[in-house]
Amino acid sequence: MKRKFLFPVILCLSIIGCTKNPQVTPAGTTENNEKTVITQGLKGQNHIAPGVGKYRLIVKFKAEEILGVEKTRPVFSNQGATARAEAWGSQKDGSKKNIYSFTYDQVMPFNPDEKAAMLQGRKAQPEPGAFDRYAFRGMMYVREAPDMSPGDVLNLANEFEKLDMVEYASLEPVTPPPPPVTPDFTWQQYYKNEADNSDVNVRGINAEYAWSIGVTGAGIRIADIEWGYNRNHEDLIGTTCQEVLPPPNDDFKDHGTAVAGILMGQKNNFGVTGMVYGADACYIVSERVRGRAGGIAEGLTRLRRGDVFLYEMQAWGENNYAPADYEQAVWDITKSATDAGIVVVAAAGNGNQNLDGAFYDSYRARGDNGAIIVGAGTKTARDKASFSTYGSVVHVQGWGDWKVTTSGGGADLFNGGPNAQYTNSFSGTSSASPIVTSAVVAVQSWYKARTGQVLAPRDIRDLLIRTGTSQGSGGHIGPLPNIKAAIVALGGPDNIDIVSGATYSIVAATNNTSLLDVEGGGAGDGTKVNLWTANAPLGNNQKWIVTSVGGGYYKLKPVHASAQALDVSNSGTADGTQVQIWNDNNTNAQKWLIKSVGGSGYYTLSPACAPASQLDINGSGTANGTKVQIWTTNTSNAQKFLFIRQ
């Protein structure tokens, strides 16, 4: 193809060459009928960022002005452009520094044949709708820039942008900015708590209790069979998670990543924390390689008596989803596994199937294979989620109504890149099952460490049913497991003594939602303590460090003002005496006897300066700003409090 050459009409020799094209090409096209990019507004955007010591410099020449790069020198498409390149930067004193004073590398990769063709003015046409690399043949790195000072690179970029043939010049740090820092989302993992700070009717499985007595899953191995997971997720790297039978592609890996986060997320200062992060191993098996039966068999080779196998699978039942063991082969292997002492936890499925219906008569007639079948319940009140399969053969429930915060899962909470994604809407029996699995692992871990033995699958299932928090409404899906209640039933510590040095929010029983709050976040002596709705996230003026001072007495220090302590004004004893914060002085006005109210989960607090009185909510109120005081001991809810560990 022949090329026309534009001859320069005039060259203005100055610091920057002033140019004028002798021929005007219609807007949006070039001499060769190539489309161009409108560049107005692309220039003048560069600046130096704090702390950046080295920059690359990208210069984008207009595509119609350039053919390519040959031996690190740009080759322009016409004599006019070549002349302007040589004239640019000429100095009046005779010194000369022009475009050819620098060397260049094209940003876009081209093979030798493509480069040779471009230099001859030829290029392959991209497929319709495909990315056109040739439109970026003028985008080049200036090779000398990383060895220049940031100021000199900026000045050079500005000079390049004075050229009409340059669309823009752009500074790029040699060391890129760090990726986004992942926030700490553990405060949103309400399912690990005993109760939600904002609503005591929102109950979790109380993994916090397990942690308070040193139980994190040690001694127990877990297997999880599903499609796969992201083994490079930032909250799972360094854990004991291991991929078994890696899947052929990444389909549905977010699902397994979310499950693994609930179980095994690292205990660190970002992301989420798995409820049994200390488990010996978590083998994640893909059912896509050898099939379900083959995958289960592969996982079982790695488990011992007392270990736990999670089935993140469902089977097609009566026009919708039922438990995976509806399939006879899965049921058969499961029975043998539980008979060998391996605990199997299986999702009931998201099909709203009534497993007590006639269609499932033959399924029930097989008998009990020892698995723990898990339904999906709601965060509040533990009602059956609308989609959850249910029936008498569903044993317990976990959270399943789009409220579960964990890793992966679609990045609707945070997206720090493919290996730093988090969700707060994981759901279904998919989220319910790892929550229940965490309870099983924690209880088994505690029992094994204490006795050297393990609980049989049916025994641990019965224990979780017997000690769980009861279901609300809907078809039967069973209670929500309660780790503390299960361990206490086995002879574990009732934990009526607050953990010294731990941080708590203190919830009033008057409405089971409002907290002890330091007024306005103040830190001065005499700042009042009132009742207030829980902030989201919880404010440090609503958190208290509770430290034993001996004899059952504790000191309570607000996190936001840790030099202060919860204090009875003037060491008073009269009903209605204001409770405040005051500089820590170790007097009896700052020592509180904390007692459990009959194992109900509530506590009373009596000041040493007035042992016949208790911490009290004025008038059993619930409104924001209600006075917190002391009052003669009675049995009202105004004197009962929940301690929610943070």
Side-chain angles (χ1 to χ4, degrees):
M1 179 179 68
K2 292 184 179 180
R3 299 195 308 274
K4 297 180 181 179
F5 291 92
L6 301 179
F7 293 92
V9 174
I10 186 169
L11 292 177
C12 301
L13 295 179
S14 60
I15 294 178
I16 300 299
C18 300
T19 64
K20 181 171 72 176
N21 292 329
Q23 179 176 324
V24 178
T25 304
T29 63
T30 70
E31 296 174 281
N32 298 319
N33 294 318
E34 295 176 327
K35 291 185 178 180
T36 62
V37 179
I38 297 174
T39 60
Q40 183 176 1
L42 297 181
K43 295 181 177 181
Q45 301 182 56
N46 291 307
H47 63 277
I48 301 298
V52 178
K54 289 183 178 295
Y55 282 94
R56 295 184 180 92
L57 177 59
I58 296 174
V59 177
K60 188 181 181 189
F61 295 98
K62 292 179 180 178
E64 64 268 24
E65 299 276 16
I66 196 159
L67 297 175
V69 174
E70 186 174 33
K71 296 181 180 179
T72 72
R73 288 169 55 91
V75 178
F76 293 97
S77 62
N78 56 76
Q79 293 180 0
T82 302
R84 294 194 298 274
E86 292 173 343
W88 174 77
S90 296
Q91 303 295 311
K92 293 180 179 179
D93 61 5
S95 65
K96 190 174 180 68
K97 198 163 194 177
N98 60 28
I99 284 177
Y100 295 114
S101 301
F102 302 95
T103 56
Y104 304 83
D105 290 318
Q106 283 176 295
V107 172
M108 288 294 150
F110 296 104
N111 64 41
D113 290 341
E114 290 172 328
K115 290 181 178 180
M118 284 191 298
L119 293 176
Q120 296 171 17
R122 297 181 292 109
K123 67 181 183 66
Q125 292 298 321
E127 295 293 328
F131 176 73
D132 184 5
R133 289 179 299 133
Y134 295 98
F136 291 85
R137 61 183 178 271
M139 181 178 283
M140 303 181 186
Y141 282 115
V142 178
R143 301 175 73 181
E144 290 77 12
D147 296 324
M148 299 166 60
S149 72
D152 287 344
V153 178
L154 179 60
N155 290 336
L156 183 59
N158 292 337
E159 292 301 314
F160 269 113
E161 288 193 340
K162 293 177 182 178
L163 281 169
D164 181 64
M165 71 172 70
V166 171
E167 289 188 24
Y168 59 82
S170 177
L171 273 64
E172 178 185 278
V174 171
T175 301
V181 176
T182 303
D184 184 354
F185 299 121
T186 56
W187 66 274
Q188 295 190 38
Q189 292 181 266
Y190 304 115
Y191 54 85
K192 68 179 173 56
N193 302 335
E194 177 181 17
D196 186 355
N197 289 318
S198 61
D199 185 353
V200 76
N201 292 316
V202 176
R203 295 283 178 163
I205 65 171
N206 209 354
E208 294 277 5
Y209 164 82
W211 296 350
S212 75
I213 59 173
V215 175
T216 61
I220 305 301
R221 297 176 185 173
I222 307 167
D224 166 30
I225 181 167
E226 53 178 287
W227 279 42
Y229 87 116
N230 179 5
R231 62 185 178 185
N232 295 315
H233 193 281
E234 63 176 1
D235 237 347
L236 300 175
I237 290 176
T239 68
T240 57
C241 290
Q242 302 175 45
E243 194 170 43
V244 178
L245 301 178
N249 56 42
D250 290 342
D251 290 353
F252 288 97
K253 277 198 170 183
D254 271 348
H255 184 283
T257 307
V259 170
I262 293 171
L263 295 166
M264 301 294 297
Q266 292 188 77
K267 186 172 178 60
N268 48 34
N269 59 0
F270 64 86
V272 297
T273 298
M275 291 188 284
V276 285
Y277 62 87
D280 286 2
C282 183
Y283 304 105
I284 300 178
V285 186
S286 176
E287 62 171 311
R288 302 175 64 198
V289 180
R290 295 188 55 211
R292 289 186 167 179
I296 294 170
E298 190 73 33
L300 288 173
T301 64
R302 292 162 168 79
L303 301 182
R304 311 155 301 188
R305 179 177 292 273
D307 291 337
V308 183
F309 208 142
L310 169 59
Y311 291 179
E312 280 286 341
M313 306 181 294
Q314 52 189 0
W316 192 252
E318 186 182 14
N319 301 317
N320 221 312
Y321 292 114
D325 69 352
Y326 176 71
E327 297 175 5
Q328 181 64 59
V330 174
W331 192 97
D332 196 19
I333 294 175
T334 299
K335 175 70 163 56
S336 293
T338 60
D339 286 348
I342 295 169
V343 183
V344 174
V345 179
N350 298 335
N352 193 30
Q353 297 288 283
N354 179 5
L355 298 180
D356 292 327
F359 183 87
Y360 294 99
D361 285 349
S362 60
Y363 171 65
R364 296 193 308 276
R366 299 174 193 168
D368 179 11
N369 65 8
I372 301 172
I373 306 298
V374 180
T378 60
K379 174 182 175 180
T380 302
R382 298 166 301 285
D383 300 331
K384 183 188 89 70
S386 60
F387 53 80
S388 179
T389 289
Y390 61 98
S392 59
V393 294
V394 178
H395 303 106
V396 291
Q397 65 169 287
W399 287 21
D401 62 338
W402 299 279
K403 302 294 194 307
V404 174
T405 296
T406 183
S407 50
D412 54 337
L413 176 60
F414 180 78
N415 189 354
N419 299 319
Q421 296 180 342
Y422 295 84
T423 180
N424 57 5
S425 61
F426 193 39
S427 62
T429 52
S430 294
S431 61
S433 297
I435 290 174
V436 170
T437 299
S438 296
V440 172
V441 172
V443 172
Q444 190 77 289
S445 174
W446 178 84
Y447 189 79
K448 186 175 183 180
R450 181 173 181 266
T451 68
Q453 305 296 318
V454 295
L455 293 165
R458 291 169 179 80
D459 290 341
I460 200 167
R461 182 180 69 187
D462 293 344
L463 175 67
L464 294 182
I465 295 171
R466 187 172 71 253
T467 59
T469 307
S470 61
Q471 179 186 340
S473 63
H476 183 269
I477 55 171
L480 176 72
N482 184 314
I483 294 172
K484 175 182 176 181
I487 290 178
V488 169
L490 293 171
D494 192 13
N495 202 35
I496 60 171
D497 293 327
I498 301 298
V499 177
S500 181
T503 300
Y504 296 85
S505 59
I506 303 173
V507 181
T510 53
N511 65 357
N512 289 318
T513 58
S514 297
L515 314 172
L516 297 192
D517 176 284
V518 180
E519 188 174 73
D525 287 347
T527 304
K528 295 177 182 178
V529 174
N530 297 321
L531 195 66
W532 204 270
T533 303
N535 298 323
L538 203 63
N540 284 337
N541 65 320
Q542 297 180 330
K543 298 177 184 177
W544 301 84
I545 302 167
V546 182
T547 307
S548 173
V549 293
Y553 285 90
Y554 293 82
K555 185 178 297 183
L556 288 74
K557 301 167 77 73
V559 169
H560 80 290
S562 58
Q564 308 292 88
L566 189 70
D567 179 280
V568 179
S569 180
N570 295 318
S571 297
T573 60
D575 287 348
T577 301
Q578 176 74 52
V579 172
Q580 59 188 9
I581 61 169
W582 198 272
N583 187 59
D584 183 1
N585 55 30
N586 206 36
T587 64
N588 284 343
Q590 298 181 350
K591 297 177 182 177
W592 299 84
L593 183 66
I594 301 178
K595 291 184 177 181
S596 175
V597 182
S600 64
Y602 293 100
Y603 298 83
T604 60
L605 298 87
S606 295
C609 67
S613 298
Q614 292 181 346
L615 190 70
D616 181 278
I617 304 300
N618 183 38
S620 296
T622 59
N624 284 344
T626 299
K627 178 182 179 182
V628 176
Q629 58 190 11
I630 62 168
W631 200 272
T632 302
T633 299
N634 55 53
T635 58
S636 71
N637 284 342
Q639 298 185 348
K640 297 175 184 176
F641 300 87
L642 289 170
F643 279 67
I644 309 298
R645 190 167 179 182
Q646 301 303 308

